[in-house]
Amino acid sequence: MKLFIINGPNLNMLGLREPDIYGRQDYAALCSFIERTCKEAEIEFQIFQSNHEGELVDIIQSAYKNADGIVINPAAYTHTSVAILDALKAVNLPAVEVHLSDISKREDFRQISYAGMACIKTVKGLGFEGYRQAILFLKSYLNKEKVQS
Ligand code: DQA
């Protein structure tokens, strides 16, 4: 089982960026956390981060035939990008949306998630732990799919 873990714009600035909202740990710490989670769960993984919408679309497209599922935090593009929504629909892989902060309790413009419309689950407001929950959810979802097919 292989997962693509995809992070959008400004997540590379974790630690520096609005620490009261996103925490004081940096992006390298997030990557180590994801790596540890995947190794413990015996899941193959690749982590990506881009600040560019088109590059995120390319990464999602490259998941086709190269990954079994996607964990994605599209960051600000969550609330604007039909291109990311369409890419997730195009590859048609089970995807889970993650947000470090609880977007449901923030500004009005964060209340819409385009990417979320193509995801089987959203995990929000749990910081790094949200990635762990998303990864473990996808693992059991994919295992169940395998039994059924
Ligand atoms: C975010 C929430 C988004 O609204 C914001 O634009 C981000 C990060 C989160 O992880 O909480 O960049 O996706």
Short mmCIF file of all heavy atoms in Angstrom, two decimals, residues 64-120:
data_model
loop_
_atom_site.label_atom_id
_atom_site.label_comp_id
_atom_site.label_asym_id
_atom_site.label_seq_id
_atom_site.Cartn_x
_atom_site.Cartn_y
_atom_site.Cartn_z
N TYR A 64 -1.87 8.76 -9.99
CA TYR A 64 -2.58 7.72 -10.76
C TYR A 64 -1.60 6.60 -11.12
O TYR A 64 -0.56 6.87 -11.72
CB TYR A 64 -3.18 8.36 -12.03
CG TYR A 64 -3.99 7.38 -12.85
CD1 TYR A 64 -5.19 6.87 -12.37
CD2 TYR A 64 -3.53 6.94 -14.08
CE1 TYR A 64 -5.92 5.96 -13.10
CE2 TYR A 64 -4.26 6.04 -14.84
CZ TYR A 64 -5.45 5.54 -14.34
OH TYR A 64 -6.18 4.63 -15.07
N LYS A 65 -1.92 5.40 -10.73
CA LYS A 65 -1.08 4.20 -10.93
C LYS A 65 0.19 4.19 -10.09
O LYS A 65 0.96 3.24 -10.13
CB LYS A 65 -0.73 4.00 -12.41
CG LYS A 65 -1.97 3.72 -13.25
CD LYS A 65 -1.66 2.86 -14.45
CE LYS A 65 -2.97 2.40 -15.09
NZ LYS A 65 -2.90 2.32 -16.52
N ASN A 66 0.46 5.25 -9.33
CA ASN A 66 1.66 5.26 -8.47
C ASN A 66 1.32 5.27 -6.99
O ASN A 66 2.23 5.19 -6.16
CB ASN A 66 2.53 6.48 -8.80
CG ASN A 66 3.18 6.34 -10.16
OD1 ASN A 66 3.77 5.30 -10.46
ND2 ASN A 66 3.06 7.36 -10.99
N ALA A 67 0.04 5.44 -6.66
CA ALA A 67 -0.36 5.44 -5.24
C ALA A 67 -1.73 4.81 -5.13
O ALA A 67 -2.50 4.75 -6.10
CB ALA A 67 -0.39 6.87 -4.71
N ASP A 68 -2.03 4.33 -3.92
CA ASP A 68 -3.35 3.73 -3.66
C ASP A 68 -4.30 4.73 -3.02
O ASP A 68 -5.52 4.51 -2.98
CB ASP A 68 -3.19 2.52 -2.72
CG ASP A 68 -2.23 1.51 -3.29
OD1 ASP A 68 -2.52 0.97 -4.36
OD2 ASP A 68 -1.16 1.27 -2.67
N GLY A 69 -3.74 5.78 -2.45
CA GLY A 69 -4.59 6.77 -1.78
C GLY A 69 -3.81 8.06 -1.57
O GLY A 69 -2.58 8.10 -1.72
N ILE A 70 -4.55 9.12 -1.24
CA ILE A 70 -3.95 10.45 -1.09
C ILE A 70 -4.39 11.08 0.22
O ILE A 70 -5.58 11.05 0.56
CB ILE A 70 -4.41 11.37 -2.27
CG1 ILE A 70 -3.85 10.86 -3.60
CG2 ILE A 70 -4.02 12.83 -2.02
CD1 ILE A 70 -4.40 11.61 -4.83
N VAL A 71 -3.42 11.64 0.94
CA VAL A 71 -3.73 12.54 2.07
C VAL A 71 -3.33 13.92 1.60
O VAL A 71 -2.19 14.13 1.15
CB VAL A 71 -2.92 12.15 3.34
CG1 VAL A 71 -3.09 13.19 4.43
CG2 VAL A 71 -3.36 10.77 3.84
N ILE A 72 -4.25 14.86 1.65
CA ILE A 72 -3.94 16.19 1.11
C ILE A 72 -4.36 17.31 2.05
O ILE A 72 -5.47 17.31 2.57
CB ILE A 72 -4.58 16.37 -0.30
CG1 ILE A 72 -4.14 17.71 -0.92
CG2 ILE A 72 -6.10 16.24 -0.29
CD1 ILE A 72 -4.32 17.81 -2.42
N ASN A 73 -3.42 18.22 2.28
CA ASN A 73 -3.75 19.50 2.91
C ASN A 73 -3.50 20.56 1.84
O ASN A 73 -2.36 21.00 1.64
CB ASN A 73 -2.87 19.76 4.14
CG ASN A 73 -3.25 21.06 4.83
OD1 ASN A 73 -3.98 21.87 4.26
ND2 ASN A 73 -2.74 21.28 6.03
N PRO A 74 -4.54 20.96 1.11
CA PRO A 74 -4.33 21.91 0.02
C PRO A 74 -4.10 23.34 0.50
O PRO A 74 -3.95 24.26 -0.31
CB PRO A 74 -5.63 21.83 -0.78
CG PRO A 74 -6.44 20.71 -0.18
CD PRO A 74 -5.94 20.54 1.22
N ALA A 75 -4.11 23.53 1.83
CA ALA A 75 -3.89 24.85 2.45
C ALA A 75 -4.85 25.87 1.83
O ALA A 75 -6.02 25.57 1.65
CB ALA A 75 -2.42 25.24 2.37
N ALA A 76 -4.37 27.05 1.45
CA ALA A 76 -5.29 28.10 0.97
C ALA A 76 -6.04 27.68 -0.29
O ALA A 76 -7.17 28.13 -0.52
CB ALA A 76 -4.52 29.39 0.72
N TYR A 77 -5.43 26.79 -1.11
CA TYR A 77 -6.12 26.35 -2.33
C TYR A 77 -7.36 25.52 -2.03
O TYR A 77 -8.19 25.31 -2.92
CB TYR A 77 -5.16 25.57 -3.24
CG TYR A 77 -4.11 26.44 -3.89
CD1 TYR A 77 -2.77 26.06 -3.88
CD2 TYR A 77 -4.46 27.63 -4.51
CE1 TYR A 77 -1.80 26.85 -4.47
CE2 TYR A 77 -3.50 28.43 -5.10
CZ TYR A 77 -2.16 28.03 -5.09
OH TYR A 77 -1.21 28.81 -5.67
N THR A 78 -7.48 25.05 -0.78
CA THR A 78 -8.71 24.35 -0.36
C THR A 78 -9.93 25.15 -0.76
O THR A 78 -10.92 24.61 -1.25
CB THR A 78 -8.73 24.26 1.19
OG1 THR A 78 -7.55 23.63 1.64
CG2 THR A 78 -9.96 23.53 1.70
N HIS A 79 -9.82 26.48 -0.50
CA HIS A 79 -11.00 27.34 -0.57
C HIS A 79 -11.19 28.01 -1.93
O HIS A 79 -12.11 28.80 -2.10
CB HIS A 79 -10.89 28.42 0.52
CG HIS A 79 -10.38 27.89 1.83
ND1 HIS A 79 -11.07 26.95 2.56
CD2 HIS A 79 -9.23 28.12 2.52
CE1 HIS A 79 -10.37 26.65 3.65
NE2 HIS A 79 -9.25 27.34 3.65
N THR A 80 -10.28 27.72 -2.87
CA THR A 80 -10.34 28.42 -4.16
C THR A 80 -10.22 27.51 -5.38
O THR A 80 -10.61 27.90 -6.47
CB THR A 80 -9.20 29.45 -4.29
OG1 THR A 80 -7.95 28.75 -4.22
CG2 THR A 80 -9.26 30.51 -3.20
N SER A 81 -9.64 26.32 -5.21
CA SER A 81 -9.16 25.62 -6.40
C SER A 81 -10.09 24.52 -6.92
O SER A 81 -10.13 23.40 -6.40
CB SER A 81 -7.78 25.01 -6.14
OG SER A 81 -7.34 24.34 -7.30
N VAL A 82 -10.77 24.87 -8.02
CA VAL A 82 -11.55 23.86 -8.74
C VAL A 82 -10.58 22.92 -9.48
O VAL A 82 -10.88 21.74 -9.67
CB VAL A 82 -12.53 24.56 -9.72
CG1 VAL A 82 -13.29 23.55 -10.55
CG2 VAL A 82 -13.51 25.44 -8.93
N ALA A 83 -9.40 23.43 -9.84
CA ALA A 83 -8.41 22.59 -10.54
C ALA A 83 -7.96 21.43 -9.66
O ALA A 83 -7.81 20.29 -10.14
CB ALA A 83 -7.21 23.45 -10.96
N ILE A 84 -7.76 21.69 -8.38
CA ILE A 84 -7.35 20.61 -7.46
C ILE A 84 -8.52 19.64 -7.26
O ILE A 84 -8.33 18.42 -7.27
CB ILE A 84 -6.80 21.20 -6.14
CG1 ILE A 84 -5.42 21.83 -6.43
CG2 ILE A 84 -6.70 20.14 -5.04
CD1 ILE A 84 -4.79 22.55 -5.27
N LEU A 85 -9.72 20.17 -7.12
CA LEU A 85 -10.91 19.30 -7.03
C LEU A 85 -11.00 18.39 -8.26
O LEU A 85 -11.16 17.17 -8.14
CB LEU A 85 -12.18 20.16 -6.91
CG LEU A 85 -13.51 19.44 -7.13
CD1 LEU A 85 -13.75 18.37 -6.08
CD2 LEU A 85 -14.67 20.44 -7.14
N ASP A 86 -10.85 18.98 -9.44
CA ASP A 86 -10.98 18.19 -10.68
C ASP A 86 -9.87 17.14 -10.79
O ASP A 86 -10.12 16.02 -11.28
CB ASP A 86 -10.95 19.11 -11.91
CG ASP A 86 -12.27 19.86 -12.10
OD1 ASP A 86 -13.25 19.53 -11.40
OD2 ASP A 86 -12.30 20.78 -12.94
N ALA A 87 -8.66 17.49 -10.35
CA ALA A 87 -7.54 16.52 -10.41
C ALA A 87 -7.83 15.34 -9.48
O ALA A 87 -7.61 14.18 -9.85
CB ALA A 87 -6.24 17.21 -10.02
N LEU A 88 -8.36 15.63 -8.28
CA LEU A 88 -8.69 14.54 -7.35
C LEU A 88 -9.78 13.65 -7.95
O LEU A 88 -9.72 12.42 -7.85
CB LEU A 88 -9.15 15.11 -6.00
CG LEU A 88 -8.04 15.74 -5.15
CD1 LEU A 88 -8.65 16.54 -3.99
CD2 LEU A 88 -7.08 14.68 -4.60
N LYS A 89 -10.76 14.28 -8.60
CA LYS A 89 -11.83 13.49 -9.23
C LYS A 89 -11.27 12.67 -10.40
O LYS A 89 -11.68 11.54 -10.62
CB LYS A 89 -12.93 14.41 -9.75
CG LYS A 89 -13.84 14.92 -8.65
CD LYS A 89 -14.96 15.72 -9.29
CE LYS A 89 -16.05 16.06 -8.31
NZ LYS A 89 -17.02 16.97 -8.93
N ALA A 90 -10.34 13.27 -11.13
CA ALA A 90 -9.78 12.59 -12.31
C ALA A 90 -9.04 11.31 -11.94
O ALA A 90 -9.23 10.28 -12.57
CB ALA A 90 -8.85 13.54 -13.07
N VAL A 91 -8.21 11.37 -10.90
CA VAL A 91 -7.44 10.17 -10.55
C VAL A 91 -8.30 9.16 -9.81
O VAL A 91 -7.99 7.97 -9.77
CB VAL A 91 -6.14 10.49 -9.76
CG1 VAL A 91 -5.20 11.33 -10.61
CG2 VAL A 91 -6.43 11.17 -8.43
N ASN A 92 -9.40 9.66 -9.20
CA ASN A 92 -10.39 8.79 -8.56
C ASN A 92 -9.78 7.82 -7.54
O ASN A 92 -10.14 6.65 -7.50
CB ASN A 92 -11.16 8.03 -9.65
CG ASN A 92 -12.45 7.45 -9.12
OD1 ASN A 92 -13.01 7.98 -8.15
ND2 ASN A 92 -12.91 6.36 -9.72
N LEU A 93 -8.84 8.34 -6.75
CA LEU A 93 -8.26 7.53 -5.66
C LEU A 93 -8.90 7.99 -4.35
O LEU A 93 -9.25 9.17 -4.22
CB LEU A 93 -6.75 7.79 -5.57
CG LEU A 93 -5.91 7.24 -6.72
CD1 LEU A 93 -4.50 7.85 -6.68
CD2 LEU A 93 -5.85 5.72 -6.67
N PRO A 94 -9.04 7.09 -3.37
CA PRO A 94 -9.55 7.56 -2.08
C PRO A 94 -8.62 8.63 -1.50
O PRO A 94 -7.40 8.43 -1.43
CB PRO A 94 -9.59 6.30 -1.21
CG PRO A 94 -8.87 5.25 -1.94
CD PRO A 94 -8.75 5.66 -3.38
N ALA A 95 -9.20 9.77 -1.14
CA ALA A 95 -8.40 10.88 -0.64
C ALA A 95 -9.01 11.38 0.68
O ALA A 95 -10.22 11.39 0.85
CB ALA A 95 -8.38 12.01 -1.66
N VAL A 96 -8.13 11.76 1.59
CA VAL A 96 -8.56 12.35 2.87
C VAL A 96 -7.95 13.75 2.96
O VAL A 96 -6.75 13.94 2.72
CB VAL A 96 -8.14 11.49 4.08
CG1 VAL A 96 -8.52 12.17 5.38
CG2 VAL A 96 -8.80 10.11 4.00
N GLU A 97 -8.80 14.71 3.30
CA GLU A 97 -8.39 16.11 3.45
C GLU A 97 -7.99 16.34 4.91
O GLU A 97 -8.70 15.91 5.81
CB GLU A 97 -9.62 16.95 3.10
CG GLU A 97 -9.48 18.43 3.29
CD GLU A 97 -10.85 19.15 3.12
OE1 GLU A 97 -11.91 18.50 3.25
OE2 GLU A 97 -10.82 20.36 2.90
N VAL A 98 -6.86 17.01 5.11
CA VAL A 98 -6.40 17.34 6.47
C VAL A 98 -6.18 18.84 6.59
O VAL A 98 -5.67 19.48 5.66
CB VAL A 98 -5.04 16.65 6.78
CG1 VAL A 98 -4.55 17.02 8.17
CG2 VAL A 98 -5.15 15.14 6.70
N HIS A 99 -6.57 19.39 7.72
CA HIS A 99 -6.22 20.77 8.06
C HIS A 99 -5.71 20.79 9.49
O HIS A 99 -6.34 20.21 10.38
CB HIS A 99 -7.43 21.70 7.93
CG HIS A 99 -7.93 21.74 6.53
ND1 HIS A 99 -7.28 22.43 5.53
CD2 HIS A 99 -8.97 21.12 5.94
CE1 HIS A 99 -7.92 22.24 4.40
NE2 HIS A 99 -8.94 21.45 4.61
N LEU A 100 -4.61 21.47 9.69
CA LEU A 100 -4.04 21.58 11.04
C LEU A 100 -5.00 22.33 11.96
O LEU A 100 -5.22 21.94 13.11
CB LEU A 100 -2.70 22.34 10.98
CG LEU A 100 -1.58 21.63 10.20
CD1 LEU A 100 -0.50 22.62 9.82
CD2 LEU A 100 -1.00 20.49 11.03
N SER A 101 -5.57 23.40 11.42
CA SER A 101 -6.48 24.23 12.22
C SER A 101 -7.92 23.77 11.97
O SER A 101 -8.19 23.04 11.01
CB SER A 101 -6.32 25.70 11.83
OG SER A 101 -6.74 25.89 10.48
N ASP A 102 -8.81 24.24 12.83
CA ASP A 102 -10.22 23.90 12.64
C ASP A 102 -10.87 24.96 11.76
O ASP A 102 -11.36 25.99 12.25
CB ASP A 102 -10.93 23.80 14.00
CG ASP A 102 -12.37 23.33 13.83
OD1 ASP A 102 -12.84 23.23 12.68
OD2 ASP A 102 -13.02 23.05 14.85
N ILE A 103 -10.85 24.71 10.45
CA ILE A 103 -11.32 25.72 9.50
C ILE A 103 -12.81 26.06 9.71
O ILE A 103 -13.24 27.14 9.37
CB ILE A 103 -11.06 25.32 8.02
CG1 ILE A 103 -11.56 23.90 7.72
CG2 ILE A 103 -9.60 25.44 7.65
CD1 ILE A 103 -11.48 23.52 6.24
N SER A 104 -13.55 25.16 10.34
CA SER A 104 -14.98 25.43 10.55
C SER A 104 -15.21 26.54 11.57
O SER A 104 -16.28 27.13 11.64
CB SER A 104 -15.73 24.16 10.97
OG SER A 104 -15.31 23.76 12.25
N LYS A 105 -14.14 26.82 12.37
CA LYS A 105 -14.29 27.87 13.39
C LYS A 105 -13.57 29.15 12.99
O LYS A 105 -13.35 30.03 13.82
CB LYS A 105 -13.73 27.38 14.72
CG LYS A 105 -14.43 26.12 15.22
CD LYS A 105 -14.38 26.02 16.74
CE LYS A 105 -15.25 24.90 17.25
NZ LYS A 105 -14.49 23.74 17.69
N ARG A 106 -13.17 29.25 11.70
CA ARG A 106 -12.40 30.42 11.26
C ARG A 106 -13.24 31.31 10.32
O ARG A 106 -14.46 31.27 10.37
CB ARG A 106 -11.08 29.94 10.65
CG ARG A 106 -10.21 29.21 11.71
CD ARG A 106 -8.88 28.78 11.17
NE ARG A 106 -8.07 29.94 10.77
CZ ARG A 106 -6.95 29.84 10.04
NH1 ARG A 106 -6.52 28.65 9.65
NH2 ARG A 106 -6.28 30.93 9.72
N GLU A 107 -12.56 32.12 9.50
CA GLU A 107 -13.25 33.12 8.68
C GLU A 107 -14.26 32.46 7.71
O GLU A 107 -14.08 31.31 7.30
CB GLU A 107 -12.25 33.92 7.83
CG GLU A 107 -11.19 34.66 8.61
CD GLU A 107 -9.91 33.85 8.79
OE1 GLU A 107 -9.97 32.61 8.92
OE2 GLU A 107 -8.84 34.48 8.81
N ASP A 108 -15.23 33.26 7.28
CA ASP A 108 -16.25 32.77 6.33
C ASP A 108 -15.62 32.19 5.07
O ASP A 108 -16.09 31.18 4.55
CB ASP A 108 -17.19 33.92 5.92
CG ASP A 108 -18.13 34.28 7.05
OD1 ASP A 108 -18.16 33.54 8.07
OD2 ASP A 108 -18.84 35.30 6.92
N PHE A 109 -14.54 32.84 4.57
CA PHE A 109 -13.98 32.37 3.29
C PHE A 109 -13.33 31.00 3.42
O PHE A 109 -13.04 30.35 2.42
CB PHE A 109 -13.00 33.40 2.69
CG PHE A 109 -11.75 33.65 3.50
CD1 PHE A 109 -10.65 32.81 3.38
CD2 PHE A 109 -11.68 34.72 4.37
CE1 PHE A 109 -9.49 33.04 4.12
CE2 PHE A 109 -10.52 34.95 5.12
CZ PHE A 109 -9.44 34.11 5.00
N ARG A 110 -13.11 30.54 4.66
CA ARG A 110 -12.53 29.19 4.83
C ARG A 110 -13.62 28.13 4.98
O ARG A 110 -13.32 26.96 5.20
CB ARG A 110 -11.61 29.15 6.06
CG ARG A 110 -10.38 30.02 5.90
CD ARG A 110 -9.41 29.85 7.07
NE ARG A 110 -8.62 31.05 7.24
CZ ARG A 110 -7.47 31.29 6.62
NH1 ARG A 110 -6.95 30.41 5.80
NH2 ARG A 110 -6.82 32.42 6.82
N GLN A 111 -14.88 28.53 4.88
CA GLN A 111 -15.96 27.56 5.14
C GLN A 111 -16.25 26.67 3.93
O GLN A 111 -16.89 25.64 4.06
CB GLN A 111 -17.24 28.27 5.61
CG GLN A 111 -17.04 29.07 6.89
CD GLN A 111 -16.31 28.26 7.97
OE1 GLN A 111 -16.69 27.14 8.27
NE2 GLN A 111 -15.24 28.84 8.53
N ILE A 112 -15.76 27.10 2.76
CA ILE A 112 -15.94 26.22 1.60
C ILE A 112 -14.65 25.45 1.33
O ILE A 112 -13.56 26.03 1.38
CB ILE A 112 -16.41 26.98 0.34
CG1 ILE A 112 -16.67 26.01 -0.79
CG2 ILE A 112 -15.44 28.05 -0.10
CD1 ILE A 112 -17.74 26.44 -1.74
N SER A 113 -14.78 24.16 1.08
CA SER A 113 -13.63 23.37 0.67
C SER A 113 -13.97 22.67 -0.64
O SER A 113 -14.79 21.76 -0.68
CB SER A 113 -13.28 22.32 1.72
OG SER A 113 -12.33 21.41 1.15
N TYR A 114 -13.30 23.15 -1.72
CA TYR A 114 -13.50 22.47 -3.01
C TYR A 114 -12.88 21.09 -2.99
O TYR A 114 -13.51 20.11 -3.38
CB TYR A 114 -12.91 23.33 -4.15
CG TYR A 114 -13.72 24.59 -4.39
CD1 TYR A 114 -13.32 25.82 -3.90
CD2 TYR A 114 -14.92 24.51 -5.09
CE1 TYR A 114 -14.08 26.96 -4.11
CE2 TYR A 114 -15.69 25.65 -5.31
CZ TYR A 114 -15.27 26.87 -4.81
OH TYR A 114 -16.03 27.98 -5.02
N ALA A 115 -11.64 20.99 -2.50
CA ALA A 115 -10.95 19.69 -2.46
C ALA A 115 -11.77 18.68 -1.67
O ALA A 115 -11.88 17.50 -2.05
CB ALA A 115 -9.56 19.85 -1.85
N GLY A 116 -12.37 19.15 -0.59
CA GLY A 116 -13.14 18.26 0.28
C GLY A 116 -14.28 17.56 -0.44
O GLY A 116 -14.71 16.48 -0.04
N MET A 117 -14.75 18.19 -1.54
CA MET A 117 -15.87 17.59 -2.29
C MET A 117 -15.45 16.29 -2.98
O MET A 117 -16.29 15.51 -3.41
CB MET A 117 -16.39 18.59 -3.33
CG MET A 117 -17.03 19.81 -2.70
SD MET A 117 -17.45 21.03 -3.96
CE MET A 117 -17.72 22.48 -2.93
N ALA A 118 -14.13 16.08 -3.10
CA ALA A 118 -13.65 14.84 -3.73
C ALA A 118 -13.00 13.91 -2.70
O ALA A 118 -12.31 12.96 -3.07
CB ALA A 118 -12.65 15.18 -4.83
N CYS A 119 -13.18 14.23 -1.41
CA CYS A 119 -12.52 13.43 -0.37
C CYS A 119 -13.53 12.57 0.39
O CYS A 119 -14.69 12.97 0.55
CB CYS A 119 -11.78 14.34 0.61
SG CYS A 119 -10.35 15.13 -0.15
N ILE A 120 -13.08 11.43 0.86
CA ILE A 120 -13.98 10.54 1.61
C ILE A 120 -14.04 10.93 3.08
O ILE A 120 -14.91 10.46 3.81
CB ILE A 120 -13.59 9.04 1.45
CG1 ILE A 120 -12.13 8.80 1.86
CG2 ILE A 120 -13.84 8.57 0.03
CD1 ILE A 120 -11.74 7.33 1.87
#
